[in-house]
Structure formats: structure tokens, C-alpha cells
Amino acid sequence: MSTQSLIGFLANSLKYGHDLAKTRVYTMTQKTPLYEGKAKVIFEGPEVGTLIQHFKDDATAFNAQKKEVISSKGILNNYISEHIMMAVGELGIPNHFISRISDREQLIRKLEIIPVEVVVRNVAAGSICPRLGLEEGSMLNNTLVEFCLKDDSLGDPIIAPEHIFTFGWATPEELEIIVEDTLRINDFLTGLFLGIGVRLIDFKLEFGRYDTEDGVEIMLADEISPDNCRLWDAETNEKMDKDRFRRDLGGLVEAYQEIARRLGVKVPEID
């Protein structure tokens, strides 16, 4: 961790009035589950306005039609997401991450989640290929931003900005901020991954509203990890993301470990 990152980490801890040891005790003894998703569980945080995000080992695909528990996946996602969220924060893009408090848990800001998933595509892959008759791996003429309603029961359908405004999921001003931050994140991550020999094919983001003294601020939420990014080796196009699970390729943990290694993220020893 760089000196600047360490200073930021300590400042965040002081700002929220707790130290790491106290938070660890809290997470072990006083957790109240609020929500459980496919890959994470959200608990009440130690202070007002905070939550604890726990990374599970569950792997799901095709709207949870395919499921498996892959030991240590959650640990790797936690460490990788911490690294990337801190880097994104240093760009001046606000996000919910405060600190990592254990191998599987993060202390995060409590946001009102906007029920819209933002999908960023640099290369044709995944669901867009059968939907539009595209060949996997074909370059897109420009970065494509798509929106999906965050609703598993409906299969996270694709929606237009007009849907977002009509049903009040976000305002035009909020969506403008979301798209601007999304494109900045894409530019940054594309360079970050290319620098370690990895192509950023596509990824998914979520955002939320955070109440501050100056009003409501739009913040990046969720995680950024190989679970919600498509990552291909720049030389071989070998898949280094959750497609290894989706397509029964095996070696998911090894692929995530390699992403962490290339990023310079130190993770606990995993059997």
C-alpha cells in the first residue's frame, strides 16, 4: 500500500470514530443481517450511516440458475475490490468503501441503492453476443454503456434512460453523474489492467445516494472484482474472471489469485 493510500485509510478510520480492533470485535459479536444477495451479505455497521459488507464464497450464474460454493472466492474479491475502490477514490470519484476490516468484510457507507445496474462494454462478450448476433471478442466502435433494472425476479431486464426517468429510479441529473463517473472509471480501469497484461472486456457497476450535510451525493457502490468484470489475458485471451465458472473452465480461484498477484495485492495464503 502506498504512503498516500495508508494516510487515506487512517483518515477514514479516524473520521468514523473507531479503530480496526474495535470494529473486528463488533463484527464478530453484534452483527444484524439486513440483506443477503448472491455473493454478499450486508449487516448493520458499528455506527449510524455505516454497514458491513461480507463477501461469500457463493458463485452464481445465469440469474442464479447455476450455483456453487468456491472456497476462498470471497476473500479474493474482498482484497481485490478494496485495492480498486481505494484507487478509484484517489481519482476523486466518491464510493462507499471506508476500510477492509477482515479477510471477508468491509466497512462501507450506507447508501440508498439506485435500482439500476450500469454495464460497460469495450469488447463484445457475454449476453450481448446472442442478443445482437455479435461474435465474441469483436471490438466495439466505441465504449457502450447499457442500463439494466436491478431485479433478479425479472432477470435484470435492459432498460432505456427514459424508463429510469419515467419510473423515478434516478433523475436526469443523477444519471448524468453516473454515466460521467462510469466512463472515468472505465478509462482508469482499462489502463490499470492493460498495465498488468489484462484486457478489460466489460464490467458492471452500481450506484447509490449518500446523505451529507451539503445534500445528497451520488456514490459508487457494490464491488469491483473479477466477479463483476470480464478480464482476459492480453496475450492469450485466457479468461480470468467468473466466466471460468459460467463455462465450466475450472481454475477460478487460481485466475483470481493471478489477478491479485498482477495488481500487487497481498492476499492471505489460500490452500
Side-chain angles (χ1 to χ4, degrees):
M1 181 183 293
S2 67
T3 301
Q4 183 178 2
S5 297
L6 180 58
I7 292 172
F9 171 82
L10 293 173
N12 275 332
S13 294
L14 290 172
K15 178 180 178 183
Y16 284 87
H18 69 279
D19 59 33
L20 212 53
K22 290 180 180 178
T23 304
R24 286 198 179 101
V25 170
Y26 175 86
T27 61
M28 292 172 61
T29 61
Q30 302 177 24
K31 287 195 290 191
T32 301
L34 298 176
Y35 168 81
E36 181 167 2
K38 289 176 285 193
K40 293 182 289 294
V41 185
I42 302 298
F43 299 94
E44 286 281 6
E47 297 181 10
V48 175
T50 67
L51 298 170
I52 292 172
Q53 179 169 256
H54 175 95
F55 288 75
K56 302 193 297 183
D57 285 339
D58 296 27
T60 64
F62 314 118
N63 201 24
Q65 294 180 31
K66 180 178 182 180
K67 302 178 183 178
E68 187 176 328
V69 176
I70 302 178
S71 179
S72 302
K73 179 180 81 74
I75 295 174
L76 290 162
N77 282 338
N78 184 18
Y79 277 81
I80 293 170
S81 188
E82 172 198 16
H83 178 85
I84 295 177
M85 284 291 195
M86 289 181 66
V88 167
E90 289 176 0
L91 291 177
I93 297 175
N95 64 73
H96 72 169
F97 178 82
I98 299 173
S99 64
R100 180 179 54 77
I101 55 179
S102 73
D103 285 348
R104 290 188 179 274
E105 294 175 327
Q106 297 178 355
L107 183 68
I108 61 173
R109 296 174 179 87
K110 184 176 183 178
L111 309 184
E112 177 194 352
I113 297 298
I114 295 171
V116 175
E117 296 178 345
V118 185
V119 180
V120 185
R121 299 186 185 277
N122 299 309
V123 178
S127 63
I128 195 172
C129 292
R131 174 160 41 100
L132 298 181
L134 302 177
E135 182 179 353
E136 182 180 71
S138 57
M139 292 297 301
L140 302 178
N141 292 333
N142 52 262
T143 298
L144 176 63
V145 177
E146 297 180 316
F147 305 105
C148 297
L149 178 61
K150 184 176 168 62
D151 189 328
D152 289 341
S153 67
L154 299 176
D156 300 329
I158 291 180
I159 55 177
E162 289 76 12
H163 291 102
I164 297 172
F165 308 147
T166 297
F167 295 106
W169 297 320
T171 66
E173 294 77 16
E174 288 174 331
L175 193 62
E176 182 178 356
I177 294 171
I178 288 170
V179 171
E180 181 180 337
D181 284 353
T182 294
L183 293 175
R184 287 184 63 201
I185 292 167
N186 182 55
D187 287 344
F188 171 72
L189 292 183
T190 296
L192 175 71
F193 283 118
L194 195 58
I196 60 170
V198 174
R199 299 173 65 197
L200 178 62
I201 304 304
D202 60 39
F203 61 102
K204 180 191 74 174
L205 298 177
E206 295 181 18
F207 291 84
R209 302 179 184 93
Y210 183 66
D211 289 324
T212 71
E213 293 180 355
D214 298 324
V216 176
E217 184 175 17
I218 298 298
M219 285 191 176
L220 175 66
D222 198 37
E223 66 178 294
I224 301 179
S225 74
D227 257 19
N228 63 341
C229 298
R230 275 196 174 84
L231 305 170
W232 295 359
D233 182 86
E235 292 187 4
T236 66
N237 281 336
E238 179 183 2
K239 293 173 173 58
M240 306 178 73
D241 52 64
K242 203 168 75 170
D243 272 348
R244 303 204 66 84
F245 167 71
R246 292 186 187 97
R247 302 189 178 191
D248 296 317
L249 299 174
L252 179 141
V253 168
E254 291 78 8
Y256 286 24
Q257 285 177 309
E258 179 61 15
I259 290 294
R261 185 191 70 79
R262 294 191 192 186
L263 286 170
V265 178
K266 292 184 179 180
V267 299
E269 189 170 330
I270 294 172
D271 295 332

